[in-house]
């Protein structure tokens, strides 16, 4: 989830042209992008340290290729939903795991790139932000439901209570996504600092590592384990439990925070 829906945008690079300036190199573009990043408060480690940097490179390449942010969002969606479709349509194997993980990870990096490209071009549009987050909302639920379909169709493990795990993870992921977006909307509406805004202090690295199990980027790479279904399901279930625990604790904190916002 990389856009800036319902929250103030990150600082602009400068009044930037929508096309590459004469003589501007890829290194120059990356330098401009590095000064226009969103805040990293609360971001888990993979998204913060790996995916954002990959997205920065892809945004610079897209800028030099003349692509629009919406085009990058479309390519991101194509990669992501290819991986999701494979989960439901192809029997689990090591090859499938690599393909699914690769599609999801590339889609996630492009999901970071579209917002960065928008800022590089002088700012995004409400329609672009809407499109970005609608794609995010769709993938958040459909990923787990596609896994459920694949487990039911191909039976890599015995059917039973294990099929409830993707259903539970789907609910947790959807609520976490909605809660995160709602928090940003209410903070912005009531004049509080949003997580997308950059602050003077450096966000905690320890916190980024602690919340790593909730990172969508980490989940993408867990699908590499599909060649060993039992191992995969144990790891996947562990992430589901940790994410549910995080959501429960975070919801209490969020509710108290919303209670302190000015009316």
């Amino acid at each position: 989830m990389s856009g800036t829906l319902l929250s103030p945008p990150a600082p602009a690079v400068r009044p930037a042209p929508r096309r590459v300036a004469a003589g501007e190199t890829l290194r120059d573009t990356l330098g401009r992008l590095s000064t226009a990043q969103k805040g990293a408060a609360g971001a888990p480690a993979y998204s913060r340290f790996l995916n954002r940097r990959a997205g920065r490179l892809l945004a610079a390449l897209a800028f030099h290729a003349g692509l629009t942010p919406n085009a990058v969002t479309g390519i991101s969606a194509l990669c992501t939903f290819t991986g999701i479709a494979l989960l439901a349509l192809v029997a689990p194997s090591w090859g499938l795991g690599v393909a699914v993980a690769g599609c999801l990870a590339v889609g996630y990096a492009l999901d970071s790139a579209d917002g960065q490209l928008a800022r590089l071009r002088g700012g995004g549009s409400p329609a672009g932000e809407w499109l970005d987050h609608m794609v995010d909302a769709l993938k958040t639920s459909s990923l787990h439901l596609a896994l459920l379909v694949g487990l039911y169709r191909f039976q890599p493990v015995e059917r039973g209570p294990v099929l409830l795990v993707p259903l539970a993870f789907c609910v947790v992921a959807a609520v976490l996504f909605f809660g995160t977006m709602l928090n940003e909307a209410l903070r912005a509406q009531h004049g509080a600092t949003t997580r997308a805004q950059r602050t003077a202090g450096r966000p905690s690295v320890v916190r980024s590592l602690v919340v790593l199990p909730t990172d969508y980027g980490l989940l993408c790479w867990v699908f590499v384990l599909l060649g060993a279904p039992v191992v995969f399901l144990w790891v996947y279930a562990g992430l589901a439990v940790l994410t549910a625990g995080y959501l429960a604790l975070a919801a209490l904190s969020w509710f108290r925070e919303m209670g302190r916002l000015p009316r």
Side-chain angles (χ1 to χ4, degrees):
M1 300 178 284
S2 66
T4 58
L5 180 67
L6 304 176
S7 60
V13 182
R14 65 179 69 150
R18 291 181 177 270
R19 296 181 178 84
V20 180
E24 180 174 341
T25 65
L26 183 64
R27 182 183 296 273
D28 295 333
T29 305
L30 287 169
R32 292 203 292 126
L33 265 174
S34 66
T35 66
Q37 297 298 303
K38 294 191 300 180
Y46 180 93
S47 295
R48 177 179 172 183
F49 299 115
L50 297 177
N51 196 66
R52 184 173 291 188
R53 292 180 181 178
R56 187 185 309 167
L57 175 59
L58 291 172
L61 290 171
F63 184 61
H64 281 260
L67 297 178
T68 65
N70 285 352
V72 175
T73 299
I75 299 171
S76 170
L78 179 62
C79 292
T80 296
F81 292 112
T82 296
I84 290 174
L86 289 173
L87 277 176
L89 299 175
V90 181
S93 66
W94 288 108
L96 175 67
V98 171
V100 169
C103 287
L104 296 178
V106 172
Y108 190 38
L110 288 165
D111 185 30
S112 174
D114 58 8
Q116 298 192 56
L117 177 60
R119 291 191 291 276
L120 188 61
R121 288 164 53 93
S125 67
E129 293 179 4
W130 179 90
L131 177 64
D132 181 33
H133 286 273
M134 286 296 288
V135 171
D136 286 344
L138 179 59
K139 78 180 182 187
T140 296
S141 296
S142 61
L143 173 63
H144 303 286
L145 296 179
L147 174 62
L148 174 62
V149 171
L151 292 175
Y152 183 84
R153 290 186 64 204
F154 301 109
Q155 300 184 59
V157 294
E158 185 178 353
R159 290 178 184 170
V162 69
L163 296 181
L164 297 175
V165 177
L167 284 177
F169 209 157
C170 178
V171 172
V172 169
V175 173
L176 180 58
F177 176 80
F178 175 79
T180 302
M181 294 296 100
L182 180 60
N183 292 343
E184 291 291 88
L186 291 174
R187 290 178 185 125
Q189 181 180 345
H190 293 276
T193 301
T194 66
R195 294 189 183 277
Q197 292 175 299
R198 301 187 72 172
T199 57
R202 178 179 174 82
S204 171
V205 174
V206 173
R207 188 186 189 285
S208 291
L209 293 173
V210 169
V211 299
L212 179 60
T214 70
D215 199 325
Y216 174 79
L218 176 62
L219 177 62
C220 292
W221 288 108
V222 165
F223 286 96
V224 168
L225 298 174
L226 280 171
V230 174
V231 176
F232 165 77
L233 283 170
W234 274 107
V235 175
Y236 177 82
L239 291 182
V241 170
L242 291 172
T243 304
Y246 170 82
L247 176 61
L249 294 174
L252 294 174
S253 175
W254 293 339
F255 183 74
R256 290 193 295 267
E257 179 189 350
M258 297 304 121
R260 295 192 296 269
L261 292 176
R263 297 190 178 186

